[in-house]
Amino acid sequence: SLGDEDLALIESHALQALNDNQHGTPITWFNPKTKINGTLVLVSAAQKNQRPCKTLAISLFDAEGVSLEGQYLLCKTASGWKREGF
């Protein structure tokens, strides 16, 4: 399970990918306390309901090699980026 520190790392790196707008460029990190590392890639950008939206691919791995992967659509709102359904 992911702790607050890992969730904060995911959020900060997701914001970096969303704001840098570098499609296909992996952003990686490692948390030495939990031994969890992650990779995040901006996959695509599009408009949905007249809002800018971007798809992120996220991969997480723990010290035992267990992985968690997924793609998430996030759309820009007045209060920031929010996850949308596909």
Side-chain angles (χ1 to χ4, degrees), residues 9-10 13-14 17 24-31 36-43 56-61 67-72:
L9 283 168
I10 294 167
H13 288 89
T25 302
I27 297 172
T28 61
W29 69 92
F30 175 69
N31 183 342
I36 292 177
N37 67 72
T39 302
L40 203 145
V41 178
L42 179 60
V43 177
L56 295 177
I58 301 173
S59 301
L60 302 173
F61 304 91
S67 66
L68 174 65
E69 301 176 276
Q71 288 195 9
Y72 303 92

Side-chain angles (χ1 to χ4, degrees), residues 48 73 83-86:
K48 182 178 178 183
L73 178 67
R83 185 173 168 197
E84 298 277 325
F86 276 100

